[in-house]
Each structure stands twice: as structure tokens, then as C-alpha cells.
Amino acid sequence: MKTVFRDISWFKDVLLPVVVTMLGVYLGILASDWQDQQRERELKQEMLRQIYREAQSNVQSLTNSYQYHLQLKDSLETWRQQQLFRGLNPAFLRSAAFTSAIHGGGLQILPYDLFHQTASIYTGQQKLDEMNQIFLGKLVDLFTNQGEDTGQAIYQLIQIYIVDIVRSEEMLMKENKALIEKIKDTLGNELNKNEKD
């Protein structure tokens, strides 16, 4: 048995293969971690680009609705006298990028302040949509159950709705614009590069 150990070069036959194997495993783990970080970075950037585009679209929709609702609020009495009403024109706000990010688990990789700001905006959008649905339901009720004072009741309902909706749209426009700026700051040149494509 002593002859077996004498013939073994401890460094060449034992330690070198172990060190080479451990080094190979370590390098493999490093490469895998690097790839995971790259995938996560690309997912984060794509998710932010989609939310950025969605926020821009929502700002445009809110701006259009807000301008009309502000005008309607300021001239509600004129509408009543001259019948200038063009419908309510609620803002149709998108949420596909945010919903996809939630269901895909992608929001976990966002910095908390950006996640919180984004979630707050989409919660506000949901509340705006709910307010629109409640208002339209009440309006349909008034039209289907007409009485002597239906015109006055519709006028009062629209007046209340317009005050609330203008305030909500203004807040959401400001929040979406702030989110757009934060995403621009976060993505920097990555956003500009993909907007050109």
C-alpha cells in the first residue's frame, strides 16, 4: 500500500484535478449568474419601455378628455341652454403593459419607488374607470325612469361628475408625466435607442 501512495504525485494526480474541477464549476456559476442578470436587465428595460409608452398614450387620452371636461365644466350652463353637449368622452386608458408585468412577475425587479409610483397610477386609473361606470349607470337610470324633473336631475348629475372627473384627470396626467420622466431617467439612452427603431 505504501508503494501506491509513493507513486502518486499529490499535486499532479490529486490536487490539480480537484482545483481544475472547482474552478470550472465556479466559472460556470459566474457565467450563469451573468446571463441571469442580463436577462433580468433586458426584461426590466422592456417592461419599463412598455409602461413608458402606455403612460404616454394615457397622458394623451387624459389630456383630450380633460380639455373637453374642463370646457364642459366651465360652460355647463351654456350647454343646458343651447344643447351643446357632445357626450362625455371618457378617457380610455390602457393597462396592458402594467397587467402583463404583474402577471409575468416582472414588477419584482423594479426599484420600489418606481413600482410604487406605477401601481399608484394604475390604481387611480381603475378608480377613474369605476367612477365613469357608476356615472353612466346613474345616467341610464335617469333616462329610463324619466319624471318631471329629469332634465334638472341629469344636469345636476353631470355637474357633479364633471367636477370630480376634471380633478381626477388632472391628477392622473401629472402622475403619468412624472412616471414618464422617471422612466426616461432610469432607461436613459436605452429608451431613445428603441424609440428610433
Side-chain angles (χ1 to χ4, degrees):
M1 194 141 165
K2 288 185 177 182
T3 57
V4 171
F5 286 117
R6 276 191 207 151
D7 294 339
I8 294 176
S9 168
W10 281 102
F11 179 74
K12 183 175 105 184
D13 295 335
V14 176
L15 287 177
L16 187 60
V18 169
V19 168
V20 168
T21 301
M22 289 175 59
L23 185 62
V25 169
Y26 178 73
L27 291 176
I29 290 171
L30 283 179
S32 177
D33 284 348
W34 181 82
Q35 288 175 337
D36 289 345
Q37 288 174 355
Q38 286 299 106
R39 277 193 292 268
E40 187 175 286
R41 181 179 176 273
E42 289 170 9
L43 172 65
K44 175 183 170 184
Q45 288 176 341
E46 182 58 29
M47 184 175 54
L48 286 174
R49 281 191 293 271
Q50 292 301 324
I51 290 172
Y52 174 84
R53 288 184 194 113
E54 196 164 82
Q56 283 184 313
S57 173
N58 289 344
V59 165
Q60 184 60 49
S61 182
L62 283 164
T63 300
N64 294 340
S65 292
Y66 174 74
Q67 289 170 350
Y68 172 66
H69 291 148
L70 195 57
Q71 178 185 11
L72 188 59
K73 178 185 173 212
D74 293 341
S75 61
L76 201 51
E77 188 57 37
T78 304
W79 161 74
R80 188 174 146 190
Q81 293 172 2
Q82 300 177 6
Q83 299 296 316
L84 296 174
F85 188 60
R86 297 185 331 227
L88 294 174
N89 297 324
F92 293 104
L93 305 176
R94 299 175 184 195
S95 62
F98 183 70
T99 303
S100 297
I102 287 175
H103 294 301
L107 290 179
Q108 296 171 358
I109 62 176
L110 286 181
Y112 180 76
D113 64 327
L114 190 56
F115 167 76
H116 185 280
Q117 186 176 4
T118 304
S120 175
I121 288 170
Y122 283 95
T123 299
Q125 287 181 190
Q126 183 178 7
K127 293 204 179 298
L128 181 67
D129 186 46
E130 290 169 4
M131 190 171 23
N132 286 332
Q133 290 175 16
I134 290 169
F135 170 77
L136 292 174
K138 297 243 183 240
L139 193 60
V140 168
D141 282 347
L142 284 173
F143 276 115
T144 55
N145 300 316
Q146 289 191 15
E148 286 181 27
D149 60 344
T150 299
Q152 182 64 24
I154 290 172
Y155 172 78
Q156 288 174 339
L157 180 64
I158 291 173
Q159 196 171 29
I160 292 167
Y161 169 76
I162 290 301
V163 169
D164 288 341
I165 207 76
V166 164
R167 190 177 11 202
S168 297
E169 289 171 343
E170 186 174 29
M171 178 195 68
L172 278 172
M173 277 191 295
K174 286 178 184 175
E175 289 179 358
N176 269 290
K177 287 177 182 178
L179 178 64
I180 288 169
E181 290 306 312
K182 188 172 268 190
I183 292 173
K184 276 184 184 178
D185 291 344
T186 302
L187 290 180
N189 293 333
E190 291 294 323
L191 184 63
N192 296 333
K193 181 176 69 173
N194 285 331
E195 282 187 339
K196 293 176 185 176
D197 294 342

